[in-house]
């Protein structure tokens, strides 16, 4: 009888030691389902229970981070839409109240703001399609030199107005890359446009295309856009390809575009089998680079 009682007590203790962590895990899961994303469980108990608790905490942390990013995205989109909508609404109200005359100049101001909205919506569409893997890419052997020549020609007037020396290397000897020509131009347009925007008068912007070295980068062409702008702080470098990220948010409307160009560029490069990165030093400028595979014969 004594042995039986001891066995029952030992069984109850063992069952409790197993059931208690499971109960805590179930309670935490219910709270997580109700939106309490900061919920965590202690990592203790047997090896299996500790592993399950750690997996739960990792999942909860991932959900919390995703929710933070979602809220930030909604807030950023609302912020970007607010300014052009306010301008459009204010100007239209002024015209209706006869404060502004109904002239082409006033209509042109409103039209410019609609273009800003159109670009933002287009950028958001491109980014969402790229992140969902739904971009239609027309991959083909693409010669590098004509792309660089067209790029230099497109930005020549902007560089002249800012007294910036825009230079590109001779890429006629490079092999063609496997890329979508339109998307390749879009990536380079984003990078060169950013470089010109942040480079002061009298500065330089250089576009370089060269064959990568050996190792895992063999068989790739490396494109880079270097500027002599203010540079990016080291703690900000991991965030430059994030959506709506800007080094100085106070300059977003004047100098930052929609804040989606670099995020879109990263998605486009990766969708074409390449890599993208940035090197920068405060006071010495930045170099944005990406690689694309060489087209096979």
């Amino acid at each position: 009888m004594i042995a039986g009682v001891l066995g029952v007590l030992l069984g109850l203790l063992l069952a409790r030691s197993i059931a208690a962590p499971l109960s805590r895990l179930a309670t935490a899961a219910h709270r997580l389902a109700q939106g309490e994303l900061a919920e965590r469980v202690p990592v203790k108990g047997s090896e299996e229970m500790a592993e399950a608790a750690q997996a739960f905490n990792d999942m909860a942390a991932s959900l919390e981070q995703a929710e933070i990013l979602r809220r930030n995205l909604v807030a950023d989109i609302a912020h970007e839409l607010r300014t052009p909508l306010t301008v459009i609404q204010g100007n239209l109200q002024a015209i209706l109240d006869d404060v502004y005359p109904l002239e082409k100049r006033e209509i042109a101001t409103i039209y410019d703001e609609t273009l800003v909205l159109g670009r933002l919506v287009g950028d958001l569409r491109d980014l969402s399609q790229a992140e969902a893997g739904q971009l239609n890419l027309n991959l083909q052997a693409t010669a590098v030199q004509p792309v660089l020549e067209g790029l230099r020609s497109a930005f020549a007037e902007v560089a002249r107005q800012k007294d910036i020396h825009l230079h590109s290397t001779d890429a006629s000897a490079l092999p063609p890359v496997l890329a979508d020509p339109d998307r390749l131009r879009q990536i380079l347009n984003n990078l060169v446009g950013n470089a010109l925007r942040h480079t002061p008068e009298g500065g330089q912007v250089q576009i370089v295309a060269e064959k990568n070295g050996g190792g895992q980068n063999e068989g790739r062409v490396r494109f880079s856009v270097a500027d002599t702008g203010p540079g990016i702080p080291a703690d900000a470098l991991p965030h430059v390809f994030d959506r709506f990220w800007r080094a100085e948010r106070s300059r977003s409307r004047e100098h930052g575009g929609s804040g989606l160009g670099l995020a879109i560029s990263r998605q486009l490069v990766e969708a074409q089998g390449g890599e993208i990165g940035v090197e920068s030093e405060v006071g010495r400028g930045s170099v944005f680079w990406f690689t694309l595979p060489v087209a096979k014969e």
Side-chain angles (χ1 to χ4, degrees), residues 3-243:
V5 170
L6 291 176
V8 170
L9 292 177
L10 183 61
L12 289 175
L13 291 174
L14 183 61
R16 182 176 177 81
S17 67
I18 296 176
L22 289 176
S23 178
R24 287 195 299 267
L25 195 60
T27 301
H30 286 305
R31 291 178 179 174
L32 192 68
Q34 294 172 359
E36 299 181 22
L37 300 181
E39 185 69 24
R40 302 291 187 272
V41 294
V43 180
K44 61 182 181 180
S46 64
E47 182 178 352
E48 292 79 6
M49 290 304 307
E51 186 176 348
Q54 185 60 54
F56 176 87
N57 290 342
D58 292 342
M59 178 190 67
S62 178
L63 290 174
E64 185 178 23
Q65 181 64 23
E67 178 63 15
I68 292 173
L69 292 176
R70 185 192 67 80
R71 291 177 180 176
N72 290 342
L73 176 62
V74 172
D76 286 332
I77 292 175
H79 172 77
E80 292 297 327
L81 291 174
R82 185 181 299 115
T83 300
L85 287 175
T86 301
V87 173
I88 292 172
Q89 183 178 4
N91 283 19
L92 288 175
Q93 187 64 50
I95 291 174
L96 291 174
D97 294 341
D98 296 325
V99 177
Y100 292 161
L102 186 59
E103 298 178 350
K104 285 188 175 181
R105 182 181 61 183
E106 301 302 331
I107 301 299
T109 300
I110 299 174
Y111 177 71
D112 289 342
E113 294 301 324
T114 64
L115 294 179
V116 173
L117 288 174
R119 284 194 296 269
L120 178 59
V121 172
D123 287 346
L124 285 170
R125 183 190 65 248
D126 287 346
L127 185 58
S128 63
Q129 289 180 339
E131 290 181 337
Q134 297 176 350
L135 273 178
N136 293 322
L137 295 175
N138 181 24
L139 297 178
Q140 56 185 277
T142 304
V144 176
Q145 182 64 17
V147 174
L148 297 190
E149 291 177 353
L151 191 71
R152 189 173 62 248
S153 176
F155 285 98
E157 181 60 22
V158 177
R160 187 191 65 79
Q161 291 178 359
K162 291 192 65 176
D163 190 26
I164 294 175
H165 178 63
L166 178 63
H167 173 70
S168 65
T169 57
D170 182 11
S172 57
L174 287 177
V177 294
L178 182 63
D180 184 321
D182 294 333
R183 297 302 187 179
L184 175 57
R185 282 189 286 267
Q186 183 179 357
I187 297 165
L188 288 168
N189 282 342
N190 284 336
L191 298 184
V192 175
N194 281 346
L196 290 173
R197 192 178 297 119
H198 294 289
T199 300
E201 293 186 3
Q204 296 184 21
V205 172
Q206 186 175 31
I207 310 166
V208 178
E210 57 190 350
K211 189 74 178 292
N212 249 358
Q216 63 179 2
N217 291 319
E218 188 175 4
R220 293 175 177 266
V221 170
R222 186 181 193 269
F223 298 83
S224 60
V225 177
D227 63 58
T228 55
I232 303 171
D235 59 344
L237 286 177
H239 305 290
V240 295
F241 295 104
D242 293 347
R243 291 176 293 189

